[in-house]
Amino acid sequence: MDSILVKGNGPLNGAIPIAGAKNACLTLMPATLLTDAPLTLTNAPRLSDIRTMTQLLQSLGTEVASLQGGQVLALSSHGLTSHTADYDIVRKMRASILVLGPMLARDGHAIVSLPGGCAIGARPVDLHLRALEAMGAQLDLRDGYIHARAKAGRLQGAIVEFPFVSVGATENALMAATLARGTTVLKNAAREPEIVDLAQCLRRMGAQIAGEGTGTITVEGVTGLGGATHPVVTDRIELGTYMLAPAICGGEVELLGGRIDLVAAFCEKLDQAGIAVSETPRGLKVARRNGRVRAVDVVTEPFPGFPTDLQAQMMALLCTADGTSVLEERIFENRFMHAPELARMGARIEVRGGTATVTGVERLKGARVMATDLRASVSLILAALAAEGETVVSRVYHLDRGYERVEEKLGACGALIERIPG
Ligand code: EPZ
């Protein structure tokens, strides 16, 4: 298992290109199952999660060509050879559940392994299943698999009210609704940019969708969808992550392709903390105004609130802020595993249930730390950039799921960072 060595260094200066969104690509790829026409995704990120989704789709019979070094994915599901998403692949990545809705909508049946939990929480899929049942699916859970079939041979439009916001359940239901008979209304739907991106791609394929980006999405089912070419939206979580690098180290970094609308709530918090964010013709520029970062309180919420996927990274910034910050994690039940690792670097963090209280210290100290999940791993790297001495982050396979070429991107701005093959 590889590790990453970081030597605390001074301010960062330069430009970092932001890739296409992992969490958009992971729902756009299964959309190929809705049609036998070609679906081409451009601006695709080069990540291990994308390779896992590729493997899963290929196991169903989808042809996937990875072109231009992985930035273009050409998918074609003109003839599925299987409707079973096997545990061995699903257990590696929860987003695998997103093949259920499309397969059910197109062919009326599917067998999908229940995804296991993961480090940050149990992460059940009950909302996915309830939405599909409302649309006329018969679901039998046995031997760890969801055995699904459309009772009337084809899903039926329905009014689906989610008891709380779920990104994945919204995505599964939205894809399923495009081929259902009649009208589907998704209420209390997720509003994330990745949902908007999916709706735009489905519309290019011929779907009749209105309201994406709001809490109510209305879909008129059609009898078939065509192909499309669609650019994956910019990754707002990678964007926010790298915006924190100059915030933590000082200096000035331009994030190429960055869009302020994707990270508005996050930018508000940066502004309160004393970080200047400005728009440029190529994206966003970030610099620490002057002196020490100020402590701020953070509450994670569904979009457009502060994203849970930036909570760990924000905590890395607040570890050396002037004052005490309180971070409340409202989306996942166990998403503070980076806290004890940051404490090994000298951070002062007290975790009680879903709340972490961070008392800022002048400077962290390098240490050997361990990545526990995707976003925790990158928060440790951010903390190490300005820490005194050397930090070694182990188990960086977590990192490779969601960040391409971290050492290159940060190294190009002056960070002393290298990968140690393990
Ligand atoms: C998506 O996960 C993202 N993953 C997550 O990003 C992100 O943290 C999350 O949305 C919230 O924004 C992908 O898009 C691949 P949810 P998802 O359904 O869809 C509970 C990353 O770091 N819930 O919105 O699984 C669930 O346990 C990853 O890139 C149910 O109880 O998130 C969680 O507590 C991590 N039943 C909350 O709802 C369900 O049926 C929100 O989950 C579904 C979810």
Side-chain angles (χ1 to χ4, degrees), residues 22-23 123-127 166-168 309 331-332 335 375:
K22 167 180 83 80
N23 290 349
R123 299 181 72 183
V125 290
D126 52 324
L127 270 65
S166 162
V167 170
D309 292 349
I331 306 295
F332 290 106
R335 203 167 197 181
R375 306 303 175 181

Side-chain angles (χ1 to χ4, degrees), residues 5-10 363 384-391 414-418:
L5 167 67
V6 181
K7 291 176 185 162
N9 200 15
R363 194 172 186 202
L385 291 174
E388 184 186 332
E390 291 189 352
T391 298
L416 300 177
I417 178 170
E418 61 181 294

Side-chain angles (χ1 to χ4, degrees), residues 26 67-68 77 97 123 152 161 176 189 197 214 245 265 270 305 310 334 337 339 364 367 373 383 394 409:
L26 288 175
L67 312 168
Q68 293 178 33
S77 301
I97 191 71
R123 299 181 72 183
E161 180 131 24
D197 201 41
T214 74
L270 289 185
L310 285 173
N334 183 33
M337 287 177 293
L364 297 180
D373 60 84
S394 62
K409 293 189 175 187

Side-chain angles (χ1 to χ4, degrees), residues 22-24 26 49 94-95 98 120-129 164-169 171 190 192 194 236-237 302 308-309 330-333 335 374-375:
K22 167 180 83 80
N23 290 349
L26 288 175
D49 270 8
R94 295 179 33 74
L98 294 173
I120 64 177
R123 299 181 72 183
V125 290
D126 52 324
L127 270 65
H128 299 240
L129 305 184
F164 52 85
V165 170
S166 162
V167 170
E171 290 163 347
E192 273 67 5
E194 293 75 36
R236 62 195 171 97
I237 305 304
T308 174
D309 292 349
R330 288 190 176 168
I331 306 295
F332 290 106
E333 64 264 34
R335 203 167 197 181
L374 167 56
R375 306 303 175 181

